Amino acid sequence: MSDISEAGTINEKPLNFLEEIIENDLANGMEAIQTRFPPEPNGYLHIGHAKAISIDFGLAKKYGGKCNLRFDDTNPVKEDVEYVDSIKDDIRWLGFEWAGEYYASDYFEQLYDWAVELIRQGKAYVDDQSQEEIRLTRGTVTVPGKNSPWRERSVEENLDLFARMRAGEFPDGSKVLRAKIDMAHPNMMLRDPLMYRILHASHHRTGDKWCIYPMYDYAHGESDSIEKVTHSMCTLEFDIHRPLYDWFIRELAIYPSHQYEFARLNLTYTVMSKRKLLQLVQEGIVSGWDDPRMPTLVGIRRRGYSAQGLLNFVERVGVAKRDNLIDLGLLEYSVREDLNKKALRRMAVLDPLKVVITNYPEGAVEEVQAVNNPEDPTSGTRPVPFTRELYIERSDFMEEPPKKYFRLSPGKEVRLRYGYIIRCDEVIKDAEGQVVELRCSYDAESAHGGSSDGRKIKGIIHWVSVQHTVPAEIRLFDRLFLKEDMGNMEEGKEFKDYLNPDSLRVVTGYMEPALQNALPGDTFQFERMGYFTKDKDSTADSPVFNRTVTLKDSWAKLSE
Ligand code: ATP
Ligand code: MG
């Protein structure tokens, strides 16, 4: 990954295509740019949204413009204030602040008036066909669609019917308002697209005021135009919608916002569609939207990912015009790199093996000074109690070591991190032959990384004092899905068929006492074990830690 860390220095990159467009517009007399981030409040934001946020807010910031937060709340059935609040929280967590907070529903009256205007101009009509009939008469890419029998209604009749649709005279699905464009248009989006449907449903903001709701394609561009958005960025799948976006703006002769499309972020071993994420939550496959295995921003935040690490990742991925699949390892790398600079080091043993230092005085407690973060000289040191009985990691001992095993084995020496050199003198086993204790002796002259008397001690292992240790529940997460490209499933399979049954493993860890004061959300490097974050499920007596990310990419090694 060294190439990435070199190329990863941000700001020195060539302009991406959006920056080129914006710089060109500014050079040609545009005074300032304005963007918007338009989430639908029907779920929690995910890693993909972080890319959109970093583009929408990031470009506005870079070019001294404004970015609005606009909730695209035109679908009352699936939307909720719970989502509105979490979305705002997530954007702030990423470090962005919006110029204005708007809701497409704030524009319902204006959108209605403009629809009336289009009817007056003979460019929209009320259609009595069912959804099914409309679908069947749209034609295909090669076959033109058929005109609706209601397409030639008079302006007066359309005005009357549309007003009565609004007044609630008709049941759901009995009528729609359609733009009158061209049923034979090569772009199917322009074959008399729907503008309004009847939906007797309460809206989380407008309550029961409306029983007709505008469709995305009609509401989106017009909302952009009302706010005077100059550059309306969205993902590639909307490129076929652009002619329609332009059509409404042109026919209404309103502020000419423009839409630009960039590639969605897709990650290996991950699904990001809100519909699927909702399913994982509703079916109890994960513990909630903020389950640390979820790709939601609340999930990865709880897991301990840093906002900066995520932003660095998004920056590295860049802005492209073609869809691609990004290696989850790159995200983990970016998070690791950021945490390496910031996280305090601590010692914790996740799979304990007891060590008794037979020549160390019983009852004695010594404080060794441990470095808090070698990457940050200002972070200082902390005392760690050292005693006769310690836990070390079971994997740091091997009874019959292979060559080049530098950790503990019978008769061999190892250095305890920040402490003494110890030698393994005796291996104690239980009735089943399982190693339960190591009897060791220490070299009193070798304290704190001091003299080793000319011996070469290559192995350094972490440890905790048994008497002082704080037990904690440690949640070891792994990727939620086993398939690399979740966008490309085999015939007859669904995304849940690829769930990783071992995505969560819970163990008891033994932590050094300094971790007792950690607060939920605090992230540490447990030396040699990875980055860990204190979870909100912690209580005063039983702390819980999430493994944020390992120190190295264990999967990359497996596939080597
Ligand atoms: P999903 O398909 O995951 O349900 P969505 O597109 O319906 O998401 P919105 O709330 O409508 O979600 O999205 C808000 C903005 O975020 C849109 O501009 C959308 O294009 C962008 N966005 C959504 N998913 C991604 C992604 N994976 N990568 C980049 N941008 C995304
Ligand atoms: Mg959407």
Side-chain angles (χ1 to χ4, degrees), residues 443-463:
D443 171 358
E445 302 300 307
S446 64
H448 319 310
S451 162
S452 53
D453 221 6
R455 288 165 292 169
K456 272 216 174 88
I457 308 291
K458 283 200 180 158
I460 302 179
I461 64 174
H462 63 280
W463 52 276

Side-chain angles (χ1 to χ4, degrees), residues 497-515:
D497 295 331
Y498 298 100
L499 279 166
N500 176 4
D502 301 318
S503 60
L504 171 61
R505 200 157 61 83
V506 178
V507 299
T508 301
Y510 298 86
M511 313 186 303
E512 64 163 273
L515 282 165

Side-chain angles (χ1 to χ4, degrees), residues 391-442:
Y391 285 140
I392 65 165
E393 211 66 58
R394 187 166 281 277
S395 58
D396 283 335
F397 171 77
M398 276 186 99
E399 199 166 9
E400 288 164 33
K403 264 190 195 159
K404 299 205 173 165
Y405 184 81
F406 298 118
R407 291 166 280 165
L408 209 51
S409 54
K412 291 280 165 49
E413 289 184 309
V414 78
R415 182 179 285 285
L416 296 173
R417 186 85 162 128
Y418 305 115
Y420 298 103
I421 294 169
I422 58 170
R423 187 182 61 226
C424 175
D425 302 321
E426 195 186 338
V427 180
I428 315 272
K429 296 181 183 174
D430 64 10
E432 275 88 58
Q434 157 103 306
V435 177
V436 288
E437 188 179 307
L438 302 177
R439 311 218 114 212
C440 299
S441 48
Y442 84 114

Side-chain angles (χ1 to χ4, degrees), residues 36-53 55-56 70 72 87 216 220 233-238 262-267 271-277 323:
R36 88 289 168 260
F37 174 63
E40 191 182 346
N42 63 350
Y44 283 72
L45 298 184
H46 51 58
I47 297 168
H49 290 117
K51 175 172 177 178
I53 289 172
I55 290 173
D56 295 333
R70 184 173 70 239
D72 204 345
I87 288 169
Y216 171 90
H220 199 90
M233 269 80 71
C234 61
T235 36
L236 273 185
E237 70 273 21
F238 289 100
F262 61 86
R264 295 178 87 73
L265 176 62
N266 300 306
L267 268 183
V271 301
M272 281 200 284
S273 124
K274 278 186 273 190
R275 190 176 52 76
K276 290 178 182 159
L277 298 179
D323 275 326

Side-chain angles (χ1 to χ4, degrees), residues 89-101:
D89 208 43
D90 282 343
I91 298 171
R92 291 202 168 110
W93 175 67
L94 282 172
F96 295 110
E97 192 61 49
W98 43 94
E101 176 183 333

